[in-house]
Amino acid sequence: MVFKIGLLGLGTVGIGTAQILLDSSGRNPLLEEIVVSQIGVRSLEKTRPIKFPPGVITTDLVAIVTDPEINIVVELLGGLEPARTMILQAIDQGKHVVTANKAVIARHGDEIYEAANRAGVYVLLEASVGGGIPIIKPLKQSLGANRITSIIGIVNGTTNYILTQMTTAGADFSDALVEAQHLGYAEADSTADVDGLDAADKIAILASLGFGERVQRESVYCEGIRKVSTVDIAYADKLGFVIKLLAIAKISEKTESRILQLRVHPTLVPKSHPLASVEGVNNAILVEGDPLGQVMFYGPGAGSGPTASAVVSDIMNIVAILKSNNHTQTLNPLLSCTHQHYCQITPIEAIETRFYARFLTKDVPGVIGNLGRSFGNYQVSLESVVQIGFKEELAEIVVVTHYVCEGNFRTALDEVRTLETIKSIPSVLRVL
Ligand code: NAP
């Protein structure tokens, strides 16, 4: 049998995908039955590293998604449009879809999966989170017997590379960003990575799969790494932490209607924590469930080959179903997505977490006492208070709190700002 693929996009991931599909030797024999029939791109003028027969590459994406010969459309365009429209059109034509596009799934997943379920087709997305790391199928299938309680990940390689360079080489944020761009780890427009938006897309997808409910992308609290300074990285190191951009989804309250925390922010991670040692462009996702306990998925979170490995595994899954001839309108619930309800999210002010804060103060007696009193007024208890150094005749004081309600901590900070001895609060970070 031959299964025809319509590839939308022949960029970094598209090339990697075509390379695997064109060189099946030594890989799963299913690949021998898969043919790249049409490839959609923006420009026919570009030089491509792979030569295809005339007519295979086209700029007419609609012709691909409506071609009756094509069984599976693989969307590797990126961005929201025309990706969303092409996916919906392919579904409408009864085609299965494989995508690596977290942005489109995080924002339009409800519309896409409703359409796919109506049409009785699969939309698989292993490559959309963690690049080459298998995490979507494990969450849906291998861990399916567990009650998932938390998913915490380093899911953006660019920011992890920047923070690693700031930690190990003492580079400041802008130099580390330029280096990441130079090495091809960061886009010229790095906003989606640096401001945490990419990580927020990914945790929205993981939370939806892990907790079995729809997630509204805009309900993910999101802070990027622009304000992380080498000063804080050095203080964190002295206190036994490294700073990582974490994407966190966890059960906040086990009431009848489950309430989730969903957030992305730079976080002080204890050096002994498994995520602390994840360096460079690597990704890792720590999943906790009952009765499993903890399991960590680690590996290359991006790149042509690793991401293509995930894309092709999805194509093979669909081909295996088509080949076994048992594809009916009834979809396999372990591969499809049928969530109906939107999950409830804890507002950020109501979460309980630990904080790190750095203060520049007058170097006079009683400053620490005043700080402690203001925090005490709002039930914020301090785990440690350290006066580490001096900066231009001001004392630099760092505090780490016990678990506190974020709203109380913020109100306490408002009071601290009014203290005559406090000159500024250069940084406030959460602690895992
Ligand atoms: P890319 O290198 O920018 O390639 C995009 C491809 O899509 C190009 O071939 C481009 O055509 C084509 N394209 C874009 N807009 C188009 C349009 N309007 N009409 C026709 N063709 C269009 O992107 P990528 O890095 O491969 O990423 C693809 C997807 O994979 C994205 O959703 C991304 O988030 C996801 N992903 C990427 C990685 C990674 O490591 N790169 C990892 C995980 C997930 P031209 O070649 O003619 O410009």
Side-chain angles (χ1 to χ4, degrees), residues 1 3 28 30 33-34 71-72 94-98 120-124 137 140-141 312-337:
M1 277 174 109
F3 299 92
N28 191 300
L30 266 185
E33 300 178 50
I34 302 171
N71 308 95
I72 304 169
K95 299 185 193 315
H96 303 281
V97 173
V98 171
V121 298
Y122 293 103
V123 175
L124 302 190
K137 274 188 223 83
K140 277 181 169 175
Q141 300 180 4
V312 177
S313 83
D314 278 346
I315 298 174
M316 287 168 55
N317 259 281
I318 294 172
V319 165
I321 290 170
L322 296 178
K323 208 173 141 57
S324 62
N325 232 355
N326 65 3
H327 177 58
T328 61
Q329 291 294 104
T330 313
L331 295 170
N332 174 347
L334 291 179
L335 280 175
S336 61
C337 193

Side-chain angles (χ1 to χ4, degrees), residues 222-295:
C222 186
E223 254 176 54
I225 64 164
R226 284 184 203 275
K227 289 193 199 141
V228 176
S229 71
T230 46
V231 177
D232 293 310
I233 287 177
Y235 283 153
D237 179 53
K238 285 200 179 108
L239 294 164
F241 298 98
V242 288
I243 299 182
K244 297 285 181 193
L245 182 71
L246 294 190
I248 299 173
K250 61 195 263 193
I251 293 183
S252 203
E253 287 169 50
K254 281 188 201 159
T255 53
E256 267 189 29
S257 56
R258 197 169 41 178
I259 304 180
L260 295 185
Q261 293 181 21
L262 271 181
R263 45 196 170 99
V264 170
H265 49 69
T267 312
L268 272 74
V269 179
K271 286 180 185 171
S272 56
H273 191 278
L275 289 169
S277 53
V278 177
E279 297 203 328
V281 287
N282 284 314
N283 282 194
I285 299 138
L286 187 71
V287 181
E288 195 162 340
D290 170 37
L292 172 77
Q294 287 187 338
V295 60

